[in-house]
Amino acid sequence: MNDLASVGVPGRILREGPAVRAALRRAAPALAAYAAIRLLGLAVLALWSAADGKNWHTLLTARWDSLWYTRVAEQGYGYAVQLPNGDVHSNLAFFPLLPWLERGLSALSPLSPADAGMAVAWLASLGAAWALYATGERLHGPRAGIALAALWAALPVGIVQSMAYSESLFTALAAWGLYCVLTGRWVCAGVLASLAGLTRPVGAAVVAAVWITAVVTLRQERAGGVRLRTALRKHRGMPTGVLLAPLGWCGYFVWVGVRQGSATGYLDVQGGWGNGFDGGVAFGAFVADLLSGPGFAAGLGLVVGVGLLVWLYVRGVRRGQPLPLAVYGGTVLLLALTAKGYFGSKPRLMMPAYPLLLPLAAGLAHWRPAPRRLVIGLVAVGSAVYGAFWLNGSGPP
């Protein structure tokens, strides 16, 4: 096996540079396609922002959540804002890995923490594109890998991948972690899952993928008559990876709980932001209100969009999508759809669910080059225009 994960744990990666360079050469077309799509998005954003009297750099680094990450990097935790209605917005809602990296990079370079956050996002997005290529290549061949990276770049809210937000960093860690699970690199998978858990709350989805895959793998071995001790020797590093995987997510959750003096401290912090999980009740009510009023068209489009996402997930599972990808993608989708809060952020919350794109990438891989490139190009243009419109308007928070 000649891909990145085949070189083993980080120490072995450093000793096996030729294997890494070979993997990078194979991924180069995917990285070039990804970079071209994102550069197109940035160019359209810059032109649109200039025409609208705004600064594209400010939109990417100094609005919404990026301001909160920067404040954590500069001042640490403890900042909160009380709204007129009594709600409290605390920066404890933001997981620490991105602000840690912002602080470290700004200390080692001339970059401000905000610009460091954007630099981390840009580099991490390329790392994510590489992981997506490796995944698509392993499952469906090189053309599917390129298509998967390109489709992820061309998501309608793909501009977030270029912002000083944590989505790109999280997706890179999650995608490489799941790739390590696919290739049996359990210790690496556990380390990356733990880092993903320090990046976003949805890091729990990576932990679930590692744990469930480990349990099912051992059960299959046992069903085949293999003793547990033998199975664990065969899947070397599995217990360590399973133990490492939840440390980041659980560690931050526990730290916030201790700081807040409550076992539900982090959930209370999220509640102050109006976030939480209610099984999709609030989201269903939001859609129902749209369908019953002047926003009927928007509500209908939302229903169609959710239906498409569910269809893509079911399609992937029926096509034999590997268990870690199915668990991870399904968990990200479920958490996004059942969360309450600001509903305009749901597309951003679902952006790390890249396994949903695998059926589309596999299908495009069978097309001839000209029509495949035309479709991806049209989608990329649409993404660039929508991203510029979105970011110059309501945007994420």
Side-chain angles (χ1 to χ4, degrees):
M1 192 184 305
N2 292 321
D3 223 315
L4 178 64
S6 68
V7 299
V9 297
R12 291 186 61 197
I13 291 178
L14 294 176
R15 295 195 301 268
E16 298 188 24
V20 177
R21 288 193 293 271
L24 182 57
R25 283 195 296 271
R26 298 217 314 279
L31 297 179
Y34 177 85
I37 293 171
R38 293 299 343 121
L39 287 173
L40 174 64
L42 292 173
V44 173
L45 173 66
L47 293 173
W48 193 301
S49 301
D52 205 30
K54 298 177 181 177
N55 184 287
W56 67 273
H57 178 266
T58 301
L59 293 176
L60 294 177
T61 62
R63 292 187 71 185
W64 304 297
D65 289 7
S66 58
L67 290 173
W68 288 86
Y69 283 118
T70 299
R71 186 174 284 113
V72 173
E74 293 176 336
Q75 303 174 11
Y77 286 105
Y79 177 82
V81 175
Q82 185 165 4
L83 303 185
N85 65 358
D87 289 344
V88 176
H89 288 184
S90 167
N91 64 1
L92 289 169
F94 297 88
F95 275 52
L97 186 57
L98 177 58
W100 285 348
L101 293 175
E102 289 180 344
R103 182 184 302 173
L105 184 56
S106 63
L108 297 173
S109 72
L111 296 175
S112 68
D115 286 337
M118 185 171 67
V120 169
W122 288 16
L123 292 173
S125 68
L126 287 171
W130 188 357
L132 267 58
Y133 168 79
T135 302
E137 180 198 41
R138 181 177 180 83
L139 299 179
H140 303 291
R143 287 185 294 183
I146 295 172
L148 182 60
L151 288 173
W152 189 67
L155 288 174
V157 294
I159 190 64
V160 174
Q161 297 165 22
S162 302
M163 298 178 67
Y165 271 46
S166 60
E167 276 76 9
S168 292
L169 177 61
F170 174 79
T171 305
L173 294 168
W176 277 120
L178 295 177
Y179 187 76
C180 288
V181 175
L182 289 176
T183 55
R185 313 294 177 181
W186 288 99
V187 176
C188 278
V191 171
L192 290 166
S194 186
L195 291 173
L198 281 171
T199 307
R200 295 189 61 78
V202 76
V206 190
V207 178
V210 172
W211 279 11
I212 292 175
T213 303
V215 170
V216 171
T217 299
L218 292 179
R219 288 189 63 181
Q220 290 174 341
E221 294 284 4
R222 293 284 289 154
V226 179
R227 297 177 61 184
L228 179 59
R229 184 176 298 178
T230 304
L232 290 174
R233 281 201 303 266
K234 178 181 177 181
H235 299 282
R236 188 172 52 184
M238 180 186 284
T240 303
V242 167
L243 290 174
L244 288 172
L247 293 184
W249 188 88
C250 290
Y252 187 67
F253 194 96
V254 170
W255 181 79
V256 173
V258 171
R259 185 183 177 102
Q260 297 294 96
S262 169
T264 59
Y266 184 76
L267 298 179
D268 298 338
V269 168
Q270 286 285 5
W273 283 81
N275 298 327
F277 298 95
D278 61 359
V281 173
F283 184 47
F286 174 74
V287 175
D289 286 343
L290 289 176
L291 292 174
S292 61
F296 176 81
L300 183 61
L302 192 55
V303 170
V304 171
V306 171
L308 176 61
L309 292 172
V310 174
W311 178 83
L312 285 172
Y313 177 72
V314 173
R315 176 73 171 171
V317 172
R318 287 182 174 177
R319 285 173 61 95
Q321 191 170 99
L323 181 62
L325 297 179
V327 171
Y328 167 79
T331 304
V332 174
L333 180 61
L334 179 66
L335 292 176
L337 293 179
T338 58
K340 60 181 179 179
Y342 179 67
F343 300 106
S345 65
K346 287 191 180 294
R348 177 173 64 86
L349 297 179
M350 287 186 283
M351 191 171 66
Y354 67 90
L356 301 182
L357 298 173
L358 269 169
L360 298 177
L364 284 172
H366 296 292
W367 290 22
R368 292 186 176 183
R372 181 171 66 246
R373 291 167 184 162
L374 177 62
V375 167
I376 292 176
L378 291 174
V379 173
V381 170
S383 171
V385 172
Y386 179 76
F389 164 77
W390 186 55
L391 211 53
N392 277 278
S394 61

